[in-house]
Amino acid sequence: MDLATNNLGSETSPYLRQHADNPVHWQPWSTEVLAAAKAANKPILLSVGYAACHWCHVMAHESFEDDAMAGLMNDLFVNIKLDREERPDLDAVYQNALALLGQQGGWPLTMFLTPDGEPFWGGTYFPKTARYGRPGFDEVLKTIAKLYAEKPEDIRHNVTQISQALQKMNSGANGAVPSLEMIDRCGHGCLQIMDAKNGGTTGAPKFPQPSLLSLIWRTGVRSRDDELKRIVKHSLDRMCQGGIYDHLGGGFARYAVDDQWLVPHFEKMLYDNAQLIDLLCDVWRIDANPLYAKRVEETITWILREMRITGGAFTASLDADSEGVEGKFYVWTEAEIDALLGDDADLFKKFYDVSKDGNWEGNTILNRTRSGLGLADEATEEKLANLRQILLTERAKRIRPGWDDKALTDWNAMTIAAMAEAAMTFKRADWLDYAKLAYNFVTSTLTDGDRFLHSYRDGKAQHTGMLEDYAHMIRAALRLFECFGEDAYLREAVAWSETVETLFADAKGGYFQSASDATDLIVRQKPHMDNAVPSGNAIMAQNLAKLYALTGDTTYRDRTEITLSAFGGRLTEQFPNMPGLLLAAEMLQNPVQIVLIAKDRSQIYLEMRRAIFAAYLPNRAITILSETDTLPAGHPASGKTAIDGKETAYVCQGPVCSAPVTTPDDLTKLLADLPGQGGIRHLYTALTGKRVCTTAAQVPARL
């Protein structure tokens, strides 16, 4: 391993390729590089970022492209550059280490390690010369190297303390499985961190946080709390009409730097948009706001237009910068708008907050917050759409932001699930076809035998799959199973869940992020906090709860309870950061199991399937059967059959199943009568109008 040259040129990651011409002798992360660092007895400078990261670009231009700074780095350290999207497990370890040092995490992450990969100090962005209250990078380099050489006992002390703390993060925090009452308390408790005026959480910056909003929304609907529902809708309204949304091209930026949702950090990430599509579908079923339907359509159109590669997979991100300037691709001046739109400019400027002085650094970020959070009349909206198309066509002539065109298994799976959900919600068969195409790409290209790989680019799939890859692909498979009733999807979900047990399960409960045969981590982490994406343990727990509802196999119930209990002790104080696990607990205790039996894909079948997906059923578990198929013995509808050869549906909660319904209208009414998924008591009383049964033995046989 030659440490005296930059070895990023053969990497496929766009982020690593960005640094292939740096005078820094960057090395990709590998066990060979770690061994070479140990042989050279030099500390490691680990720099972690991703292609769309603005401050990563800033630090690169200031320091990594500077010959003198590069010479200092090369002399004092073995320099490793890591794409955090390719190795989120490594990034998580060192982000946690930085947090243990009392510092705020983020990217670029700059960590100093022993040759064994053990962290002893770090930070994020360091300016080339001292400013922003931060020391200059050259000063940092010299100080760290001097400490490493002259005070090994201090370095070893830090290493030991950090290592022990990282191990402790995986230690017991056992507690009870959250009850529905506790979930409600947590959902209501989230109100204290919400911004009643602007939506989202209080203060700036503002991140979309779809998992948190999902918990609040579902709690609000189930408990019939209008304030909880209002804050979620208001948050979505502000996002959908704010500057964080790309009003010309579609899609949401990663976050807003202000508390008004006006100024985005202009990078656009696939995972944010997948989660927001899911959330908008969820809310739309209760509040059919045409704004939400429009944003779903526009966002999916953007994904299909700009975020796909040959074969149908979805790519990672679009950069914040173009021509070295953040946001340059997206902003406008009043003069540009006037010249392009002519007599119609005044109408457009009124709705999109365009003025002579602009609303951001002399330019205008298009937004509709000032003109109202709803849509205008149909004729006006049609006119505005035509004007937006003129601007979009003109914008296409600009130099585009960088495109990170690698395909990641977990982010693709999130998008597959979201696109399938939107397809069924808004009756778009074409979206379902795109979801299936991407699913087939992942299962055929991002695998090695029976193992998932994490990343694909330039014809090369690499990096061993992590918990999130399996968890999100299981979720995508279960969603496609619900859409089509094809057993292959369920079989794949079951097989992958067994792989998760073999490779990722911790005997003490919960799942590690990295597989048991991973050899290049100082510690395997057990993620349970939701960040920009839900934790792997949250998604896995949701999957297991759904598998239990679909199959009746108590193994899945037990695994769900073990996972939830493993983190239950943290929920009381940390519930705003753990909404995904709370949603899993709700799914486990409050599923709605729907069985649709049809001898063929008739028009009545299609209408009944549409009725199911039109209903607000966040904890649904749908099984579509032919007349000859049977349900597992543990399913509450096991043994039930079609009525007189007709398309027939049963709806079950707990051990109770409805009487059979054979028309779309009757199914729609039955589903509408489920009051917020209130459980067995509500279903029984809704169906019979009689006193609530308290035990399964008291349920009448005809149900």
Side-chain angles (χ1 to χ4, degrees), residues 4 45 76 186 217 304 345 353 547 611 638:
L45 190 163
L76 299 176
C186 291
W217 176 253
L304 296 176
D353 192 24
L547 281 167
S638 180

Side-chain angles (χ1 to χ4, degrees), residues 244-565:
I244 193 174
Y245 185 74
D246 180 358
H247 290 267
L248 299 185
F252 295 85
R254 181 167 168 249
Y255 65 89
V257 302
D258 64 322
D259 67 354
Q260 306 287 311
W261 301 103
L262 172 63
V263 183
H265 189 38
F266 290 89
E267 61 193 18
K268 293 164 76 173
M269 317 299 292
L270 184 66
Y271 60 77
D272 285 315
N273 288 278
Q275 293 177 90
L276 285 167
I277 289 168
D278 253 338
L279 177 59
L280 286 166
C281 289
D282 208 13
V283 176
W284 186 86
R285 289 190 173 97
I286 295 291
D287 179 5
N289 187 338
L291 174 64
Y292 302 159
K294 192 67 176 171
R295 294 297 179 256
V296 168
E297 179 185 20
E298 291 169 346
T299 299
I300 291 177
T301 299
W302 163 69
I303 291 173
L304 296 176
R305 183 183 66 244
E306 299 186 24
M307 302 296 285
R308 294 177 74 235
I309 56 174
T310 302
F314 305 112
T315 61
S317 65
L318 290 176
D319 208 327
D321 298 7
S322 57
E323 303 180 70
V325 179
E326 184 181 12
K328 184 174 182 178
F329 182 75
Y330 296 101
V331 299
W332 298 85
T333 64
E334 183 184 48
E336 289 174 318
I337 300 293
D338 288 339
L340 288 165
L341 302 185
D343 293 341
D344 295 319
D346 286 344
L347 174 69
F348 187 87
K349 290 191 293 184
K350 171 187 172 184
F351 277 91
Y352 286 94
D353 192 24
V354 180
S355 63
K356 179 181 178 181
D357 295 329
N359 53 29
W360 180 66
E361 298 182 357
N363 295 297
T364 291
I365 298 169
L366 300 180
N367 74 97
R368 290 183 61 168
T369 304
R370 291 179 181 273
S371 62
L373 295 180
L375 295 177
D377 61 87
E378 186 174 345
T380 301
E381 288 297 337
E382 183 177 355
K383 181 68 173 177
L384 291 172
N386 292 333
L387 299 178
R388 290 197 305 271
Q389 186 59 49
I390 293 172
L391 297 182
L392 180 63
T393 301
E394 182 65 21
R395 194 177 78 175
K397 300 174 184 177
R398 297 176 175 177
I399 296 175
R400 294 186 59 80
W403 181 36
D404 188 334
D405 59 343
K406 67 177 178 286
L408 301 172
T409 295
D410 54 344
W411 295 7
N412 265 264
M414 294 168 72
T415 310
I416 291 162
M419 205 166 284
E421 188 70 15
M424 302 306 292
T425 303
F426 297 105
K427 304 175 185 177
R428 289 289 300 265
D430 55 329
W431 294 348
L432 201 54
D433 290 339
Y434 286 119
K436 289 174 62 179
L437 188 62
Y439 181 91
N440 292 337
F441 182 98
V442 173
T443 55
S444 63
T445 305
L446 275 153
T447 52
D448 181 12
D450 61 352
R451 300 279 292 269
F452 278 117
L453 298 173
H454 178 63
S455 178
Y456 170 89
R457 188 174 185 267
D458 283 354
K460 182 179 180 181
Q462 59 184 342
H463 302 299
T464 302
M466 284 154 274
L467 173 62
E468 292 82 1
D469 297 311
Y470 289 86
H472 281 289
M473 279 301 291
I474 293 168
R475 178 172 174 264
L478 292 176
R479 191 159 288 182
L480 291 175
F481 172 71
E482 290 184 301
C483 293
F484 296 106
E486 295 177 7
D487 289 343
Y489 292 119
L490 182 59
R491 287 197 301 270
E492 287 177 323
V494 167
W496 295 333
S497 70
E498 293 308 309
T499 301
V500 169
E501 290 302 313
T502 301
L503 295 176
F504 299 94
D506 181 6
K508 297 178 181 178
Y511 299 92
F512 291 109
Q513 186 174 20
S514 303
S516 55
D517 54 2
T519 59
D520 59 352
L521 295 104
I522 59 170
V523 63
R524 294 165 72 204
Q525 302 276 275
K526 282 202 304 187
H528 61 279
M529 299 282 195
D530 296 339
N531 293 303
V533 296
S535 73
N537 273 283
I539 296 301
M540 198 60 215
Q542 293 173 25
N543 292 335
L544 292 168
K546 178 159 280 195
L547 281 167
Y548 173 51
L550 289 169
T551 67
D553 187 337
T554 56
T555 300
Y556 298 120
R557 178 198 64 199
D558 295 343
R559 289 175 180 173
T560 312
E561 291 179 345
I562 290 169
T563 303
L564 293 170
S565 296

Side-chain angles (χ1 to χ4, degrees), residues 473-672:
M473 279 301 291
I474 293 168
R475 178 172 174 264
L478 292 176
R479 191 159 288 182
L480 291 175
F481 172 71
E482 290 184 301
C483 293
F484 296 106
E486 295 177 7
D487 289 343
Y489 292 119
L490 182 59
R491 287 197 301 270
E492 287 177 323
V494 167
W496 295 333
S497 70
E498 293 308 309
T499 301
V500 169
E501 290 302 313
T502 301
L503 295 176
F504 299 94
D506 181 6
K508 297 178 181 178
Y511 299 92
F512 291 109
Q513 186 174 20
S514 303
S516 55
D517 54 2
T519 59
D520 59 352
L521 295 104
I522 59 170
V523 63
R524 294 165 72 204
Q525 302 276 275
K526 282 202 304 187
H528 61 279
M529 299 282 195
D530 296 339
N531 293 303
V533 296
S535 73
N537 273 283
I539 296 301
M540 198 60 215
Q542 293 173 25
N543 292 335
L544 292 168
K546 178 159 280 195
L547 281 167
Y548 173 51
L550 289 169
T551 67
D553 187 337
T554 56
T555 300
Y556 298 120
R557 178 198 64 199
D558 295 343
R559 289 175 180 173
T560 312
E561 291 179 345
I562 290 169
T563 303
L564 293 170
S565 296
F567 307 106
R570 293 191 170 102
L571 276 167
T572 302
E573 295 181 354
Q574 299 177 337
F575 62 86
N577 299 315
M578 302 169 67
L581 285 167
L582 290 167
L583 294 176
E586 182 189 354
M587 178 68 200
L588 179 65
Q589 298 170 82
N590 199 29
V592 173
Q593 295 150 287
I594 304 167
V595 178
L596 176 58
I597 306 171
K599 62 182 177 182
D600 56 40
R601 299 311 191 234
S602 65
Q603 185 62 33
I604 295 295
Y605 155 79
L606 292 174
E607 291 177 8
M608 293 181 79
R609 187 177 70 164
R610 289 187 190 120
I612 294 170
F613 281 95
Y616 175 76
L617 303 168
N619 298 311
R620 68 175 189 237
I622 305 168
T623 304
I624 299 172
L625 302 174
S626 70
E627 282 190 310
T628 57
D629 293 331
T630 58
L631 285 165
H635 195 289
S638 180
K640 296 190 180 298
T641 60
I643 303 300
D644 298 330
K646 297 178 182 178
E647 294 80 357
T648 305
Y650 296 89
V651 179
C652 311
Q653 286 183 285
V656 182
C657 292
S658 69
V661 292
T662 57
T663 70
D665 287 344
D666 286 344
L667 180 56
T668 296
K669 184 177 185 303
L670 174 59
L671 296 174

